[in-house]
Amino acid sequence: MNPRCRFCGAQLQEVFADLGMSPIANRYLTPEQQNTMEPFYPLRAYVCGSCFLVQLEEFETPDEIFSDYAYFSSYSSSWLEHSRRYVEAMIERFGLDGQSTVVELASNDGYLLQYFRERDVPVLGIEPAANVAEVARERGVPTVAEFFGEPLARRLVKESAADLLLGNNVLAHVPDLNDFVAGMKVLLKPGGVITMEFPHLMRLIDENQFDTIYHEHFSYFSFLTARRVFAAHGLKLFDVEELPTHGGSLRIYGAHDDDAGKPETEAARELAERERQAGYEDIATYRAYASGVQEAKRSILTFLIDIKRQGGSIAGYGAPAKGNTMLNFCGVGTDFLDYTVDLNPNKQGHFLPGSHIPIYAPDHLRETRPDVVLILPWNLREEIMEQHAYIRDWDGRFAARSPEMRLLD
Ligand SMILES: [Zn+2]
């Protein structure tokens, strides 16, 4: 029995990418858990033949996946800077002030809303992971620790109807997409603006970013498909920006579909047309993707095998979800990577799911002097190479997917 499309309900027949069996990518293991059973689920992305939404099936409830989420946004300096600039731009463009309300969905530890607070714009965060929401409250960002959808929006709308309703890297993580977007329609003030950022499917396909597919990431959007989803809930996407973040993201701007003050911009028209020309409403475009994923696996393994055969040692840098997809899909464990390092103290002392590669603090690189440091969050490679340039002291070299796996200089 095939699953059904989480947007339009059509039966899903077409496999977009099959990455084999994989554990939940953000489920880092404690030393004790290393000797216990670990659930693996198929990591298989489908594309809907009716609406072209690329998507995964759900195997666990969102509670199980997200309740103690280890990701704290504040640990990436480039992401903080991205957020700060976003806040400045929104205050300017939409004239937000002390009378406005800004609501963020999946507000994490309040890293973004803190910049609105500094400018005295009232904020409300919504963050289902209770431990993360608590950190946000401690820094003075009021936060509701619940899953967002239409029922919560109806409860909040009286007190907290949003002039700006934003969600960065949440739309892809929402299991009940229709309930989520319906909730945004409810919570948005007349004349209000929605902005959301999510990885752009066009970049995933063009640069073979198969490792951005993982179980917590349910949906993969083109602009055309996102527009269709919002339109079904009485919202229009009137503007869009293409951003370099997360390997290439879209920032969409939404409004009530009857909001005459927000006409479609040239950027929105142009991107929709570019996607149409590139075949994003043709199933053949999606069918062609699967073979490139298999070839990427072979070339990654060839790269790692060559280093090991020459006697080189390899350490990882970072412990992101995309690293776990790549390592598990390719079957790479401590036979290739001795360990990985991560700045996030919540991950240090743990092991990567599936591959059981240990995670240390970055200092471990200086102590062990690996020949090659494989950067797993390839989207942050420039920043990481700059911060850890000292590996050149022992002739260490960086490697990352870019988009092929290769040594970097
Ligand atoms: Zn569909």
Side-chain angles (χ1 to χ4, degrees):
M1 186 62 189
N2 286 344
R4 291 192 172 274
C5 174
R6 65 168 36 83
F7 169 56
C8 77
Q11 236 183 44
L12 299 173
Q13 316 267 11
E14 303 276 352
V15 173
F16 172 71
D18 190 343
L19 301 171
M21 297 292 289
S22 214
I24 302 292
N26 279 314
R27 193 160 296 165
Y28 301 91
L29 305 173
T30 62
E32 301 75 48
Q33 285 171 324
Q34 278 222 87
N35 299 328
T36 60
M37 284 206 294
E38 192 179 2
F40 276 57
Y41 300 96
L43 188 49
R44 187 189 305 124
Y46 292 91
V47 57
C48 175
S50 298
C51 71
F52 304 106
L53 179 64
V54 172
Q55 57 196 292
L56 298 186
E57 266 178 278
E58 239 170 280
F59 297 101
E60 295 200 18
T61 68
D63 270 342
E64 288 171 295
I65 293 184
F66 293 113
S67 60
D68 219 26
Y69 203 43
Y71 186 70
F72 283 70
S73 305
S74 297
Y75 292 104
S76 161
S77 53
S78 62
W79 186 248
L80 284 176
E81 179 55 20
H82 172 78
S83 304
R84 197 190 57 73
R85 273 184 280 130
Y86 162 84
V87 168
E88 295 300 321
M90 293 306 107
I91 287 174
E92 172 125 341
R93 179 168 176 183
F94 300 112
L96 302 169
D97 58 24
Q99 310 305 312
S100 311
T101 300
V102 174
V103 180
E104 184 179 14
L105 309 177
S107 50
N108 214 287
D109 58 6
Y111 70 96
L112 185 149
L113 290 178
Q114 67 180 343
Y115 298 119
F116 280 113
R117 277 199 72 233
E118 282 172 11
R119 299 284 303 268
D120 297 320
V121 178
V123 300
L124 178 68
I126 297 171
E127 170 51 58
N131 60 332
V132 182
E134 190 48 41
V135 177
R137 286 189 207 108
E138 280 163 17
R139 65 155 54 130
V141 173
T143 302
V144 176
E146 288 184 57
F147 280 100
F148 183 76
E150 199 174 347
L152 179 58
R154 293 209 177 281
R155 269 166 38 219
L156 293 176
V157 66
K158 246 189 168 161
E159 297 278 309
S160 306
D163 296 280
L164 174 64
L165 178 56
L166 74 116
N168 291 339
N169 301 303
V170 57
L171 198 61
H173 294 261
V174 169
D176 190 344
L177 183 60
N178 285 314
D179 179 52
F180 191 85
V181 181
M184 287 197 279
K185 173 75 180 175
V186 170
L187 196 55
L188 187 67
K189 256 187 209 169
V193 173
I194 292 169
T195 76
M196 308 215 98
E197 293 177 24
F198 48 81
H200 190 189
L201 180 64
M202 194 176 223
R203 301 293 294 275
L204 187 159
I205 292 181
D206 286 352
E207 291 159 36
N208 200 2
Q209 299 170 354
F210 70 85
D211 49 356
T212 61
I213 298 173
Y214 51 90
H215 288 116
E216 296 91 325
H217 195 171
F218 295 117
S219 306
Y220 304 79
F221 295 94
S222 65
F223 182 57
L224 290 171
T225 298
R227 208 165 68 165
R228 195 175 284 128
V229 172
F230 279 79
H233 296 280
L235 297 164
K236 63 178 178 184
L237 301 188
F238 63 94
D239 194 10
V240 65
E241 286 172 69
E242 292 173 79
L243 309 171
T245 47
H246 292 279
S249 296
L250 295 182
R251 177 185 292 156
I252 55 167
Y253 291 80
H256 290 293
D257 54 10
D258 58 0
D259 186 343
K262 298 187 181 65
E264 189 183 35
T265 62
E266 181 52 34
R269 254 194 305 274
E270 188 276 326
L271 180 57
E273 187 50 33
R274 181 153 34 102
E275 286 188 352
R276 238 180 253 115
Q277 295 288 336
Y280 279 74
E281 292 187 312
D282 178 356
I283 196 70
T285 303
Y286 300 88
R287 280 184 189 142
Y289 183 65
S291 61
V293 173
Q294 302 298 325
E295 178 49 33
K297 175 174 181 169
R298 291 187 286 265
S299 77
I300 290 167
L301 282 169
T302 302
F303 176 85
L304 296 174
I305 288 167
D306 284 349
I307 294 171
K308 295 306 281 185
R309 284 217 170 115
Q310 290 161 28
S313 59
I314 311 172
Y317 188 95
K322 61 167 66 72
N324 290 327
T325 291
M326 189 274 282
L327 297 168
N328 284 303
F329 174 53
C330 295
V332 170
T334 49
D335 42 359
F336 288 101
L337 266 63
D338 298 331
Y339 61 87
T340 191
V341 298
D342 199 281
L343 278 175
N344 186 340
N346 295 295
K347 292 181 181 176
Q348 293 163 10
H350 288 64
F351 295 80
L352 298 183
S355 64
H356 291 209
I357 293 171
I359 308 167
Y360 296 101
D363 280 351
H364 206 63
L365 293 173
R366 287 184 203 272
E367 289 156 21
T368 59
R369 303 180 154 228
D371 297 306
V372 175
V373 175
L374 176 62
I375 299 172
L376 296 170
W378 43 257
N379 51 306
L380 304 176
R381 61 186 174 255
E382 305 291 336
E383 176 182 342
I384 291 165
M385 285 169 68
E386 208 170 294
Q387 286 165 354
H388 302 277
Y390 57 81
I391 75 163
R392 301 209 169 82
D393 295 350
W394 62 84
D395 294 326
R397 304 200 54 194
F398 289 103
R401 301 195 63 220
S402 170
E404 296 291 312
M405 183 69 85
R406 59 186 181 82
L407 291 169
L408 304 168
D409 288 299

